[in-house]
Structures are given as structure tokens and as C-alpha cells.
């Protein structure tokens, strides 16, 4: 006969209760985790949706126009949604998002309280036009000397009028922060006959070297004999830009020459192409690269941007399908002349408008 051990039943009951309690706690934790994942998924969905809407939004602040070309007829319909050019119909591509990139010629950004004219100038102006459906990115380089209507403000920041000036000055007629960026956006849109610019990012000089080194430097071919700080390189040399060499490569120019900015723009285009290609390749290997670069650019208030969290969220989901080649590097066409005091870049209206139709519109059968 089996001998009963006192308290054994009680111990088994306690263990069973403890196991049931642990299971209940585990189930609650699991349900909470599932709920958190669902909430995060919902937040991500709405951020992505809001980001897409913001990136593609066309506010129509600048009226869509067209150049007056001799012996050529251009018709605009539906506020520029449809264009009839030389008998062919074009429809605006609603999948496009334009991001204006500006390099500002000052060592550091300010608190937004600069006096008008003290905010620096937009030395480098690039417009990235991103087709969110196909993934194709077109990078359009705009001369800092391009003549365009610029909103002018007095020293108190009150509207003073509109004058035809170099587009780089649009940044100076602002607060050195969002106001300056928005003024450049407005002038870029005017230059492009009302094409929308949904986002912008302006960085100061001190951020260039850090962004360059954040991807391990950028390899370029020296287009002409060039002094980069204390180093002199010969035309045709292939070099890896490191540290302060990057800023010197994209910024230096011989101001004694009227067209000195054109040579600099050529270097800027080469640099940006190489930079984007390398950054995209690294992103395919590590999806956190864009976030790291964003943090580098934002450090010490080196960057001013309206690219919100929702925009970043949607852009991040589209990065891996980006299509960007050397064919997608373009420049606003025109010629440089000497103005009363400074160089002036006057666009070729016909060539520019045909370029706009090619980038922003889809030809209809």
C-alpha cells in the first residue's frame, strides 16, 4: 500500500496555480505585444500615407505658365495639368515629387533672426525630381546666377516687391531659416514655369565634409588643374575626396572669370552623382544609412528642411527601387553674360520648356 505524504496534494495544487498564473501573464504579455505591433503598423501606415500625400501635394502657389516662343503655339489646360505643345498633348505626371537641395555659403545656420541680406546665398541649387511610381530620379542643376523674379523684403522683413535678380539672392531675402528656403522654392518654381516644389533641404558649408566622410569619401575625376586646400591635382586624376577636400571641390571657383560658376556646377554635378550612387549602394546593404546621413546633416543645426517624419517614412519605403543614372543628370540650359556688376545666366526658354515637358509631363497618344 502506497504511503501518503502529507502536503503533497497542496504542493501540486500550488504548482498548477503558479503554472496557470505564469501562462496567463505570458498570454497577457503576448497580447500586449501583438497590440503594440498592430498600433505600430497602423501608425506606420498612416505616416506612410500622409508622407506620400505631402510629397505629391501640388499647392499651386506659383501659377503654371509657358514661355512666349516665336512661331510656336503652347496651350495650357486645367491649370497646367495638360499642355498642348507643337500639336502634341502632354499630361502632368502626378507621381512626381520635387525636392530642392541648397548649399548655403555660410559656416553655420542661424536662429532665424538675421537681418535681410545677412542670411547668406544659395551657392548650389539642385532639384531632385523623383517619380514615386517608377523610382526614377532626375537631378536638375540650376545656376546660382540664373535670372528670375525674386521676392524682395525690406530690413524689417516686410514685402517690398518683386525684382528680376540672380536666384542665389532669394535666400538672402529671408530669415536665414524656413523663410529663406521658401523664397528660393518660390523662385525655382517660377523659373520652371510653375512646376511644384514640395520639399526642401538647405545645408551649410560645415556639413559637407561630414556628409562626405560619412560614406567613406567620394571618388571623382578632376576636370581641370585644381587646388584643393594645400593639395594640387592635375586634370584627369582620379581621387578620393576626404575631409575638407569635398567642400573645396564643390565650392572653389576663379571669380575673375565670368563663367566660373559653370565649371563649378560641372564639378558639383559630378560630385552629387558619385555621392548618390555610393549612398544608394550602401543603403541596399544597410537600410539605416539614410537615417544616419539625416542625423549627420541635422547635427548642430547644419540643415534646414521641411522633410517631416511622415515624408521620411514614405521615402524610406521607396529607396530600394530608385533608378538613377548619369542620363538623369541635367542642367537648366542657357548662357552666361556679364551684367552691370555681376555674371547673369539667362535661360534658353525653348530648350528649358522642352526639358520641363520631358521631366514633368507624360506625352499622350
Amino acid at each position: 500500500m502506497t504511503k501518503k505524504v502529507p502536503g503533497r496534494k497542496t504542493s501540486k495544487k500550488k504548482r498548477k496555480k503558479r503554472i496557470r498564473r505564469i501562462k496567463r501573464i505570458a498570454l497577457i504579455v503576448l497580447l500586449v505585444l501583438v497590440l503594440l505591433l498592430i498600433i505600430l503598423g497602423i501608425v506606420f501606415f498612416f505616416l506612410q500615407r500622409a508622407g506620400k500625400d505631402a510629397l505629391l501635394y501640388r499647392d499651386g502657389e506659383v501659377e503654371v505658365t509657358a514661355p512666349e516662343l516665336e512661331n510656336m503655339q503652347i496651350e495650357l489646360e486645367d491649370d497646367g495639368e495638360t499642355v498642348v505643345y507643337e500639336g502634341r498633348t502632354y499630361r502632368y505626371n502626378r507621381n512626381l515629387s520635387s525636392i530642392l537641395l541648397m548649399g548655403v555659403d555660410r559656416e553655420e545656420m542661424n536662429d532665424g533672426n538675421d537681418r535681410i541680406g545677412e542670411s547668406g546665398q544659395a551657392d548650389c541649387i539642385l532639384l531632385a525630381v523623383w517619380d514615386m511610381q517608377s523610382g526614377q530620379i532626375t537631378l536638375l542643376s540650376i545656376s546660382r546666377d540664373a535670372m528670375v523674379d525674386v521676392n524682395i523684403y525690406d530690413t524689417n522683413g516686410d514685402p517690398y516687391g518683386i525684382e528680376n535678380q540672380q536666384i542665389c539672392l532669394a535666400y538672402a531675402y529671408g530669415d536665414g531659416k524656413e523663410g529663406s528656403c521658401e523664397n528660393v522654392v518660390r523662385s525655382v518654381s517660377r523659373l520652371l514655369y510653375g512646376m511644384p516644389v514640395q520639399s526642401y533641404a538647405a545645408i551649410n558649408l560645415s556639413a559637407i565634409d561630414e556628409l562626405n566622410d560619412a560614406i567613406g569619401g567620394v571618388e571623382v575625376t578632376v576636370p581641370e588643374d585644381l587646388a584643393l586646400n594645400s593639395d594640387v591635382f592635375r586634370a584627369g586624376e582620379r581621387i578620393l575626396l576626404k575631409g575638407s577636400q569635398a567642400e573645396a571641390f564643390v565650392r572653389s571657383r576663379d571669380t575673375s572669370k565670368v563663367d566660373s560658376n559653370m565649371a563649378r556646377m560641372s564639378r558639383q554635378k559630378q560630385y552629387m552623382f558619385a555621392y548618390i550612387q555610393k549612398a544608394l549602394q550602401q543603403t541596399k546593404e544597410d537600410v539605416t544609412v539614410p537615417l544616419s546621413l539625416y542625423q549627420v546633416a541635422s547635427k548642430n543645426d547644419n540643415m534646414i528642411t521641411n522633410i517631416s517624419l511622415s515624408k521620411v517614412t514614405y521615402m524610406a519605403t521607396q529607396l530600394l527601387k530608385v533608378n538613377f543614372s548619369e542620363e538623369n543628370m541635367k542642367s537648366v540650359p542657357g548662357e552666361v553674360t556679364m551684367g552691370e556688376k555681376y555674371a547673369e545666366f539667362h535661360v534658353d526658354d525653348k530648350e528649358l520648356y522642352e526639358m520641363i515637358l520631358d521631366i514633368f509631363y507624360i506625352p499622350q497618344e
Side-chain angles (χ1 to χ4, degrees):
M1 179 182 248
T2 305
K3 188 175 180 180
K4 293 183 179 180
V5 178
R8 179 174 289 181
K9 282 187 176 181
T10 304
S11 297
K12 285 183 177 180
K13 286 181 180 180
K14 286 182 177 179
R15 280 199 299 272
K16 286 180 179 180
K17 285 182 179 179
R18 189 163 56 249
I19 291 172
R20 284 198 297 270
R21 187 166 61 249
I22 291 172
K23 287 181 177 179
R24 282 198 300 270
I25 293 172
L27 181 60
I28 291 170
V29 171
L30 180 61
L31 289 173
V32 169
L33 288 174
V34 170
L35 182 60
L36 283 174
L37 287 174
I38 292 173
I39 292 172
L40 286 173
I42 293 172
V43 170
F44 180 80
F45 172 79
F46 281 106
L47 278 174
Q48 186 183 30
R49 182 61 180 271
K52 181 179 181 180
D53 291 343
L55 283 167
L56 301 179
Y57 178 65
R58 185 174 178 181
D59 62 12
E61 180 184 353
V62 176
E63 181 184 0
V64 177
T65 59
E68 295 182 4
L69 300 175
E70 189 176 353
N71 300 324
M72 290 190 178
Q73 188 174 8
I74 304 174
E75 297 178 14
L76 301 179
E77 301 173 2
D78 303 325
D79 297 323
E81 287 285 323
T82 302
V83 174
V84 180
Y85 177 74
E86 288 290 271
R88 188 170 191 183
T89 301
Y90 298 82
R91 190 78 179 169
Y92 179 77
N93 186 355
R94 277 285 180 177
N95 296 308
L96 297 182
S97 181
S98 296
I99 305 168
L100 184 64
L101 308 173
M102 294 166 277
V104 182
D105 64 343
R106 63 183 301 158
E107 294 298 332
E108 58 183 20
M109 294 301 186
N110 56 73
D111 58 7
N113 294 318
D114 267 5
R115 290 173 62 84
I116 299 300
E118 297 178 353
S119 302
Q121 298 177 8
D123 231 21
C124 175
I125 305 174
L126 297 166
L127 185 69
V129 185
W130 190 350
D131 188 324
M132 293 293 177
Q133 186 173 68
S134 69
Q136 179 172 296
I137 291 180
T138 300
L139 200 62
L140 184 62
S141 179
I142 301 171
S143 171
R144 71 184 298 280
D145 299 321
M147 301 301 290
V148 66
D149 285 346
V150 174
N151 281 38
I152 306 298
Y153 299 87
D154 62 23
T155 53
N156 295 319
D158 297 321
Y160 186 74
I162 297 176
E163 293 182 9
N164 194 255
Q165 296 190 0
Q166 286 96 338
I167 197 169
C168 63
L169 298 176
Y171 193 91
Y173 286 105
D175 55 6
K177 301 285 275 188
E178 288 79 7
S180 288
C181 292
E182 289 165 4
N183 209 29
V184 180
V185 164
R186 194 177 295 114
S187 288
V188 166
S189 187
R190 283 176 181 148
L191 185 73
L192 302 180
Y193 303 105
M195 293 301 98
V197 179
Q198 291 92 344
S199 309
Y200 61 76
I203 62 171
N204 62 36
L205 298 178
S206 59
I208 295 175
D209 300 341
E210 293 185 59
L211 284 168
N212 179 82
D213 291 352
I215 62 169
V218 174
E219 194 171 7
V220 296
T221 300
V222 181
E224 74 270 4
D225 291 351
L226 194 64
L228 302 180
N229 299 329
S230 59
D231 300 311
V232 178
F233 298 96
R234 299 302 176 190
E237 278 191 70
R238 191 74 179 164
I239 60 173
L240 180 68
L241 297 173
K242 285 292 190 74
S244 59
Q245 289 180 336
E247 179 191 331
F249 186 80
V250 300
R251 189 177 180 226
S252 61
R253 63 168 174 157
D254 183 355
T255 55
S256 66
K257 297 179 180 179
V258 176
D259 61 349
S260 62
N261 188 54
M262 301 304 292
R264 178 169 64 175
M265 284 177 62
S266 178
R267 278 185 268 115
Q268 290 171 349
K269 284 174 62 179
Q270 182 193 173
Y271 179 83
M272 285 302 298
F273 176 74
Y275 189 98
I276 292 173
Q277 289 285 63
K278 189 171 184 178
L280 285 174
Q281 182 58 45
Q282 291 182 359
T283 299
K284 291 177 181 178
E285 300 168 2
D286 180 3
V287 293
T288 67
V289 167
L291 178 59
S292 298
L293 294 177
Y294 186 89
Q295 290 173 335
V296 170
S298 303
K299 189 168 61 175
N300 300 321
D301 294 325
N302 283 329
M303 179 172 67
I304 303 166
T305 183
N306 69 342
I307 300 178
S308 61
L309 176 61
S310 61
K311 287 183 179 181
V312 170
T313 301
Y314 182 70
M315 289 166 68
T317 66
Q318 305 300 306
L319 275 176
L320 294 181
K321 69 175 186 180
V322 162
N323 174 21
F324 182 64
S325 65
E326 202 160 1
E327 294 178 355
N328 301 126
M329 297 286 294
K330 301 181 184 295
S331 298
V332 169
E335 64 175 356
V336 182
T337 60
M338 189 62 195
E340 292 184 9
K341 290 185 178 180
Y342 305 105
E344 297 179 356
F345 183 87
H346 296 274
V347 303
D348 182 315
D349 293 327
K350 181 178 182 295
E351 194 174 342
L352 173 58
Y353 195 69
E354 290 177 350
M355 183 180 289
I356 287 171
L357 291 176
D358 181 57
I359 296 173
F360 290 89
Y361 286 80
I362 300 172
Q364 304 299 292
E365 298 299 332

